Amino acid sequence: MPKVIPPAPDPDEQYFWDGVAGGELLLRRCAGCGRLQHPPSPMCPQCGSVDWTTQQASGRGTVHSWIVSRHPTDPDDAARVVALIDLEEGVRLVSNLTDVDAADVANEMAVEVTFREIDGTRLPQFVPAGAQQ
Ligand code: ZN
């Protein structure tokens, strides 16, 4: 069984995965009031609009909180750092921190997005800011 289950986006999530395929972290912006909405929803919670545009995120953010996740049935698998990332645009998303030792992770640390091919699926991941060449 693959370690990553490929995303099966619904119509409200397709933009996000299209962005990932193109190496962009896209955010959904309400065409009615301009609110950024993540995770996506069919209707803007602020103004009720169902019209959306997208904007490319800078990819920069900070760690809001994080955990070390160990696989329940494959204990030999490497543990993953799962984090809540506050993007500088003002929305929060769940991702993994990679290329960093869990002992070096701290709340508020600066991170940036990268895109990695994991078990055949391209995923957005975050690394310490400035760590990418
Ligand atoms: Zn709105």
Side-chain angles (χ1 to χ4, degrees):
M1 184 169 170
K3 294 183 190 307
V4 174
I5 299 170
D10 71 25
D12 286 312
E13 302 163 340
Q14 188 64 49
Y15 76 93
F16 183 85
W17 294 105
D18 288 347
V20 169
E24 296 183 338
L25 188 64
L26 296 181
L27 299 176
R28 209 172 201 201
R29 179 179 291 284
C30 175
C33 70
R35 173 193 165 97
L36 286 173
Q37 177 65 29
H38 189 87
S41 58
M43 180 184 291
C44 175
Q46 185 163 279
C47 77
S49 173
V50 293
D51 296 322
W52 300 95
T53 61
T54 56
Q55 113 176 24
Q56 185 177 1
S58 71
R60 292 185 297 270
T62 57
V63 173
H64 175 76
S65 187
W66 57 282
I67 61 165
V68 176
S69 171
R70 292 178 177 82
H71 199 285
T73 55
D74 278 329
D76 291 342
D77 254 20
R80 295 180 302 142
V81 177
V82 181
L84 290 173
I85 309 294
D86 285 334
L87 294 179
E88 63 181 15
E89 287 82 6
V91 297
R92 181 173 291 166
L93 55 82
V94 179
S95 190
N96 291 29
L97 289 182
T98 191
D99 299 354
V100 64
D101 193 291
D104 296 329
V105 178
N107 290 350
E108 309 302 327
M109 75 182 283
V111 293
E112 61 193 16
V113 76
T114 187
F115 295 91
R116 297 282 167 85
E117 202 79 23
I118 302 174
D119 203 19
T121 298
R122 190 171 212 209
L123 296 173
Q125 306 276 280
F126 282 79
V127 296
Q132 297 185 89
Q133 300 306 312

